[in-house]
């Protein structure tokens, strides 16, 4: 680019440059954050279990991205794989311009995802299905490498002397949760999986209490979600167990538990970023043909949250953005 000779010319070029890659509109000087409608409708479909605070962050990120880009967002969820597949098919039938979806049960969702791509609707995956999204036809993926995350926890607790952890799987058939536990077990051979019903906190607490009371050799409880970690705190107290608790994911209460030392550490996959980037990537793809990740997944984790950095992160958890 030729050197600009005057401040006026520089200002003209700057204003022109600001419109590249986005909607051709005047800058918003109203002080508000809402954009003009982009004309794009994006369906956002997850396997959210009602009451799981993790998904509040995913949805908050998606909704903020929709606001920032002027996208109309249609959010829906169902923890039942067949019903989630139906929600994706309904989005296809309604002729949305893009679909962002979790791929926690890829085999069950394959038909509906391929129906979307067959109809020319771009699909991006998020949160679950990092090893399967390409095979299903999704263009991009935003989430954590769950095997790596599990290995990271395994290495850390192994270094602390773990011999017999239990890894608590709270949703049956989830490829992400199984990958996490497999990662832990790869580093601590004595790891034992425990299946619980994550939709029922009382049942989770009861199952954990019974397991801890029965087997005093359990030295670590690895939970795969913040609400289950909170259940584990109760179960540990009721069983008079000496097991230490570590977890995946954060919410406000879990961050405080890390701060208090009740939970040793958490691994954060940054769900707000997953929701935000999934919607933003579809907008950029539709608007400019952008393809984020260079053909590979865009990783949002794993990231350790412990006593060393909790003071910095705690305020963000209170705002539901971390």
């Amino acid at each position: 680019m030729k050197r600009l000779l005057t401040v006026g010319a520089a200002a003209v070029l700057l204003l022109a440059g600001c419109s590249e890659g986005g909607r051709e509109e005047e800058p918003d000087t109203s002080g508000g954050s809402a954009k003009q409608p982009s004309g794009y409708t994006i369906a956002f479909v997850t396997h959210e279990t009602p009451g799981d605070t993790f998904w509040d962050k995913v949805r908050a990120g998606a909704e903020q991205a929709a606001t920032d880009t002027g996208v109309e967002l249609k959010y829906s969820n169902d923890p039942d794989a067949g019903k989630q597949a139906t929600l994706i098919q309904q989005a296809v039938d309604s002729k949305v311009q893009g679909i962002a979806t979790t791929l926690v049960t890829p085999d069950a969702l394959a038909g509906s995802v391929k129906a979307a791509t067959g109809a020319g609707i771009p699909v991006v995956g998020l949160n679950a299905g990092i090893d399967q999204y390409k095979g299903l036809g999704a263009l991009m993926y935003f989430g954590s490498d769950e095997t790596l995350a599990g290995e990271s926890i395994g290495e850390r607790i192994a270094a602390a002397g773990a011999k017999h952890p239990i890894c608590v799987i709270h949703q049956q058939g989830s490829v992400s949760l199984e990958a996490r536990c497999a990662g832990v077990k790869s580093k601590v051979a004595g790891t034992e999986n425990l299946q619980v019903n994550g939709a029922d906190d009382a049942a989770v607490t009861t199952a954990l209490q019974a397991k801890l009371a029965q087997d005093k050799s359990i030295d670590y409880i690895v939970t795969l979600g913040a609400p289950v970690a909170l259940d584990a705190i109760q179960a540990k107290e009721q069983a008079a167990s000496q097991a230490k608790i570590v977890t995946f994911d954060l919410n406000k209460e879990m961050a405080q538990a890390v701060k208090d030392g009740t939970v040793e550490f958490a691994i954060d996959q940054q769900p707000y970023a997953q929701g935000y980037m999934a919607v933003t990537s579809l907008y950029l793809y539709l608007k400019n043909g952008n393809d984020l990740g260079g053909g590979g997944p865009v990783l949002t984790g794993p990231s350790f949250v412990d006593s060393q950095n909790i003071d910095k992160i705690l305020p963000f958890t209170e705002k539901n953005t971390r």
Side-chain angles (χ1 to χ4, degrees):
M1 183 180 293
K2 294 181 179 180
R3 182 181 300 276
L4 299 178
L5 299 179
T6 67
V7 173
V12 170
L13 184 59
L14 177 61
L15 289 174
C18 287
S19 67
E20 292 179 3
R23 295 184 305 283
E24 296 179 1
E25 59 182 28
E26 293 298 319
D28 180 12
T29 58
S30 66
S33 61
K35 302 293 184 182
Q36 294 297 317
S38 66
Y40 303 135
T41 298
I42 291 176
F44 198 99
V45 186
T46 78
H47 62 282
E48 172 187 348
T49 297
D52 188 337
T53 53
F54 176 90
W55 297 103
D56 296 340
K57 299 178 189 294
V58 174
R59 185 169 185 173
E63 289 176 344
Q64 185 61 56
T67 297
D68 291 348
T69 58
V71 162
E72 180 183 353
L73 188 71
K74 293 185 174 180
Y75 185 94
S76 61
N77 62 281
D78 202 298
D80 180 274
K83 293 178 181 178
Q84 185 186 358
T86 298
L87 292 174
I88 296 171
Q89 185 61 56
Q90 289 173 348
V92 174
D93 296 340
S94 68
K95 295 181 170 54
V96 297
Q97 280 73 52
I99 297 173
T101 184
T102 60
L103 300 168
V104 70
T105 49
D107 291 343
L109 303 180
S112 57
V113 172
K114 290 178 179 178
T117 57
I121 300 172
V123 177
V124 301
L126 71 144
N127 179 257
I130 189 171
D131 295 322
Q132 295 84 14
Y133 77 97
K134 287 184 180 180
L136 295 178
L139 296 173
M140 293 168 268
Y141 178 86
F142 301 90
S144 183
D145 184 328
E146 304 297 4
T147 299
L148 173 62
E151 290 172 349
S152 299
I153 277 190
E155 288 176 352
R156 184 155 174 170
I157 64 174
K163 301 297 183 185
H164 184 195
I166 56 169
C167 191
V168 186
I169 299 178
H170 59 267
Q171 184 174 15
Q172 189 171 6
S174 167
V175 293
S176 295
L177 301 186
E178 290 172 357
R180 289 176 177 180
C181 287
V184 175
K185 188 175 180 63
S186 72
K187 302 300 180 180
V188 186
T191 301
E192 179 184 355
N193 291 357
L194 178 66
Q195 183 77 51
V196 298
N197 178 10
D200 187 339
D201 286 314
V204 172
T205 302
T206 299
L208 278 171
Q209 179 188 356
K211 183 66 175 176
L212 293 169
Q214 173 196 2
D215 190 347
K216 296 298 184 181
S217 71
I218 295 170
D219 49 11
Y220 272 87
I221 307 167
V222 181
T223 62
L224 308 183
V228 179
L230 295 172
D231 297 335
I233 294 172
Q234 293 185 46
K236 174 184 171 178
E237 292 175 352
Q238 293 168 4
S241 171
Q242 297 301 309
K244 298 175 181 178
I245 301 172
V246 300
T247 191
F248 285 79
D249 303 335
L250 286 174
N251 59 19
K252 180 180 178 181
E253 294 77 14
M254 183 48 49
Q256 189 61 51
V258 173
K259 171 74 173 176
D260 296 341
T262 310
V263 171
E264 288 207 333
F265 63 82
I267 277 196
D268 186 20
Q269 58 178 306
Q270 303 186 93
Y272 183 93
Q274 293 177 10
Y276 191 93
M277 293 305 301
V279 172
T280 302
S281 69
L282 279 169
Y283 167 78
L284 291 173
Y285 180 82
L286 293 165
K287 185 68 178 177
N288 299 325
N290 296 124
D291 181 5
L292 303 185
V298 177
L299 298 183
T300 61
S303 174
F304 279 105
V305 178
D306 56 23
S307 61
Q308 300 301 309
N309 59 4
I310 187 60
D311 287 334
K312 179 179 179 179
I313 292 172
L314 188 59
F316 298 118
T317 68
E318 294 171 348
K319 294 190 296 184
N320 204 39
T321 58
R322 185 66 193 268

